[in-house]
Amino acid sequence: MPKKDLLAAMRMGEQLTLRQQIMLTLQLSIPAILAQISSIVMQYIDAAMVGHLGKEASASIGLVASSTWLMGGLCRALSVGFSVMVAQRIGAGDNQDARNLVKQGLCSGVAFGVLLAAVGAALSGGLPHWLRADAAICPDATAYFLVFALSLPFVQLSQLSAGLLQAGGNMRTPSILLVLMCGLDVVFNALLIFPTRQIGGFTLPGAGMGVAGAALGTALAEATIAIIMCVILLRSPVLGLKRGEKLRFIPAQLRRALTLSVPVAIEQAVMTSAQVVTTGIIAPLGTVAIAANSFAVTAEALCYMPGYGVESAAVTLIGQSVGAKRKDLVTRLGWVTVLLGMSIMLAAAAVMYILAPWIIGLLSPDEQVVALGTQVLRIVVFAEPLFGASIVVAGVFQGAGNSLLSSVLNFTSMWGVRITLTLAMVPRWGLQGAWIAMCIELCFRGALFLFFLWRKKWLPKEMRDAA
């Protein structure tokens, strides 16, 4: 007997039991979680390979990490705008309009990616100096950020294609391709970071590019997968190109996409600019602190990136529920996804606390860096479940078409709590003070998001009374 398509059943107005709602959430979440974990594995690969070049090389990447997140976050913002609209149109049964939105999104995405690349390249030379870094790590930091900036059109294309496929309910394809990207990253990094060397009697060729090679290897892997992902999207049954359907730029839809994307872009700018400020506060603590901070941030991602996988599922579920006018499911699916995300991150935090020294040790051979990185990583794991709540609730808000609310809440928490506490604690407790501030702020943020989820003000107006 063929397996029931629960997502299609939801769109058709069928009643779903609580068990079916949980199964549907898991069906969409698991592939997205694997995709997010694969992206973290790629960061681990970069960090571990560069870590063997020395703590200065690691610090050069850690210095600009928050700036790369800012650029990547802006790419994600555009993806959210079009993905939410596509999910809602599919939920409403208007697949032709959804396909036109895909074409509009891809054209807009390529143009935006090129613009970001130009801005990033222009800023790359001065960025390390603005962050008050040691002069010894500035050249490598500049080279890394420049290569990353030039790859942004492909980063945008990859994120947008993945988001649109997920909006249509296809979580598996992006997951498989992102796992493949990890493999490509290993191969390209091995060839580009290190010089030609002998391994077990075999000669392994290498370009010996160091830090710049790490950036280029990741960029090549990203570009390869972006092209494949886009081709698959354009050939997909529901969202792919159809004979006789021409691209139509519809101003009202572009404005709607902009309305959804701008708050997310502001949110990403707020969050990552606060991280840039935090990096600037930490930078005077020295190379060991910068490297330990960088590795701990990379390691922590193994806890919270599964939350972003559940968030992707939440955007799809809530978006299609709103489009299908399933007032009976919107709020319940919101809570199901949030509780799932919190549970996964609680389990991940427990594992991370135990394995912290081993994980940091994988990323760096330097004993000072490992010791400090382990200390700060074990501080923040206590906040992960509530951090997971804030991540998934943001996806619920976005799927409902209310991306502004999560932006306001994140701004309030990040700048009102974290930056204030970091400025107060770092002079007294060093890097540990910065991570204590982070832990307190993440707990506050999670509680804030849960409160507003409970209040239901995020729902579309026509659903508030009935939900």
Side-chain angles (χ1 to χ4, degrees), residues 1 40 64 74 96 130 142-143 160 165 175 185 202 207 214 216 218 285 291 347 356 367 415 443-445 457:
M1 185 176 178
I40 292 309
V64 298
L74 293 177
Q96 183 174 347
W130 301 333
T142 292
L160 186 56
L165 285 168
S175 303
D185 192 38
F202 294 95
L216 184 57
T218 301
L285 298 176
E367 291 183 3
W415 283 90
C443 291
F444 172 80
R445 191 194 310 179
K457 297 297 184 182

Side-chain angles (χ1 to χ4, degrees), residues 28-387:
L28 295 180
S29 296
I30 290 173
I33 289 170
L34 293 176
Q36 293 295 338
I37 290 175
S38 70
S39 71
I40 292 309
V41 170
M42 192 162 67
Q43 291 181 31
Y44 273 55
I45 292 166
D46 281 358
M49 287 184 165
V50 172
H52 286 83
L53 298 177
K55 59 188 177 186
E56 289 79 13
S58 300
S60 68
I61 294 179
L63 181 72
V64 298
S66 50
S67 301
T68 62
W69 298 336
L70 173 58
M71 293 295 195
L74 293 177
C75 291
R76 179 182 175 274
L78 184 70
S79 302
V80 167
F82 282 100
S83 297
V84 169
M85 292 178 68
V86 167
Q88 292 184 355
R89 296 321 300 153
I90 291 175
D94 193 347
N95 291 347
Q96 183 174 347
D97 199 31
R99 288 191 290 271
N100 191 59
L101 280 166
V102 167
K103 288 180 279 190
Q104 292 180 84
L106 291 175
C107 291
S108 303
V110 170
F112 186 60
V114 170
L115 175 62
L116 282 181
V119 172
L123 295 176
S124 60
L127 182 62
H129 302 285
W130 301 333
L131 293 173
R132 301 186 296 164
D134 190 297
I137 67 174
C138 286
D140 276 345
T142 292
Y144 188 90
F145 189 75
L146 175 60
V147 175
F148 169 80
L150 295 176
S151 72
L152 282 169
F154 294 105
V155 173
Q156 177 68 84
L157 185 62
S158 176
Q159 290 201 14
L160 186 56
S161 298
L164 292 169
L165 285 168
Q166 291 169 346
N170 183 353
M171 300 297 203
R172 184 174 300 175
T173 298
S175 303
I176 293 171
L177 289 176
L178 287 171
V179 170
L180 175 60
M181 185 161 67
C182 289
L184 291 175
D185 192 38
V186 172
V187 173
F188 290 139
N189 278 359
L191 294 174
L192 295 171
I193 293 175
F194 305 104
T196 300
R197 58 208 182 278
Q198 294 289 326
I199 299 180
F202 294 95
T203 300
L204 185 65
M209 295 175 63
V211 170
L216 184 57
T218 301
L220 290 174
E222 188 87 53
T224 302
I225 296 304
I227 293 169
I228 295 172
M229 190 106 64
C230 185
V231 170
I232 291 174
L233 171 65
L234 294 176
R235 291 182 176 180
S236 63
V238 176
L239 298 176
L241 298 175
K242 301 290 184 182
R243 190 182 299 275
E245 291 183 1
K246 296 182 179 180
L247 168 63
R248 294 176 293 114
F249 283 103
I250 301 175
Q253 290 185 341
L254 292 174
R255 285 194 298 271
R256 174 61 175 160
L258 194 64
T259 300
L260 290 169
S261 297
V262 167
V264 180
I266 293 172
E267 174 185 337
Q268 294 296 322
V270 164
M271 301 293 284
T272 50
S273 61
Q275 290 164 347
V276 170
V277 171
T278 301
T279 302
I281 297 170
I282 292 170
L285 298 176
T287 300
V288 171
I290 295 174
N293 183 69
S294 174
F295 287 133
V297 167
T298 300
E300 187 213 356
L302 194 60
C303 281
Y304 67 71
M305 289 311 284
Y308 284 104
V310 182
E311 180 197 40
S312 297
V315 171
T316 300
L317 283 169
I318 302 304
Q320 291 203 15
S321 297
V322 169
K325 302 188 185 305
R326 292 300 305 269
K327 300 177 182 180
D328 57 322
L329 284 180
V330 175
T331 303
R332 276 184 284 162
L333 285 173
W335 280 105
V336 167
T337 54
V338 170
L339 292 174
L340 174 64
M342 292 180 69
S343 300
I344 291 172
M345 286 181 60
L346 175 61
V351 173
M352 182 62 67
Y353 187 90
I354 296 169
L355 298 181
W358 179 76
I359 292 172
I360 300 293
L362 283 178
L363 302 177
S364 174
D366 187 282
E367 291 183 3
Q368 288 181 290
V369 172
V370 172
L372 184 56
T374 299
Q375 289 177 25
V376 298
L377 185 57
R378 281 179 164 170
I379 290 170
V380 80
V381 294
F382 292 98
E384 296 302 317
L386 282 170
F387 185 22

